[in-house]
Amino acid sequence: MSELKLCQGPKCHTYHTKDRLKGPKGNKTYQTRRRSNFYYGNNNFCSWVCLNDWNSIYIEQALDHFGRTTEPKHLTEQNAWTKDYDYNWRDDNNPRSNYRSVNSITKEQRPLTEAQYNDNNYTLNER
Ligand SMILES: [Zn+2]
């Protein structure tokens, strides 16, 4: 049995839906949603509304904490690499060739291994 998570929406329990109404008969309360999986905000919120509630309360603190963008960023050849994967690719002689890095400015493509593709820290971009 998978463990249930609570929605992180600060007002989740204030929305009157049948599935939030829980407890013994005569003593039911609207409660924060609890599920094994959520689809919003990196698996932390039960709905777009709950994610938005969190944002409107905490977004300023989050930006101050993690640092605001204070100057425009520039997309150049040196940081325009993205990863791409062709789901329809079939080449039994070259099974790794469906993973690649693509430069969105120069259009150059370079092959990637599956491990490089799945490694969130691997990039050709200069930092
Ligand atoms: Zn919620």
Side-chain angles (χ1 to χ4, degrees), residues 28-88:
K28 289 187 184 298
T29 55
Y30 289 99
Q31 299 179 14
T32 301
R33 274 182 173 152
R34 203 187 303 243
R35 290 185 186 157
S36 58
N37 213 15
F38 293 123
Y39 296 102
Y40 299 90
N42 204 20
N43 200 16
N44 286 300
F45 299 91
C46 74
S47 65
W48 181 251
V49 170
C50 280
L51 172 56
N52 231 24
D53 288 341
W54 189 94
N55 273 342
S56 61
I57 292 173
Y58 298 111
I59 192 77
E60 295 298 325
Q61 286 171 254
L63 286 169
D64 287 338
H65 180 78
F66 294 106
R68 291 174 183 269
T69 299
T70 55
E71 290 173 15
K73 296 175 181 176
H74 299 263
L75 186 66
T76 65
E77 289 180 25
Q78 284 70 42
N79 66 5
W81 291 99
T82 59
K83 293 176 181 178
D84 193 22
Y85 174 73
D86 185 352
Y87 292 92
N88 296 317

Side-chain angles (χ1 to χ4, degrees), residues 5-30:
K5 306 170 65 160
L6 288 167
C7 172
Q8 296 302 301
K11 299 198 290 185
C12 190
H13 63 289
T14 67
Y15 299 113
H16 294 214
T17 61
K18 259 188 177 171
D19 70 299
R20 286 180 172 100
L21 192 58
K22 300 210 161 165
K25 208 169 186 179
N27 198 18
K28 289 187 184 298
T29 55
Y30 289 99

Side-chain angles (χ1 to χ4, degrees), residues 105-118:
I105 292 188
T106 64
K107 308 303 179 197
E108 183 186 347
Q109 296 193 11
R110 293 184 195 170
L112 281 177
T113 65
E114 186 174 358
Q116 288 169 332
Y117 179 84
N118 291 323

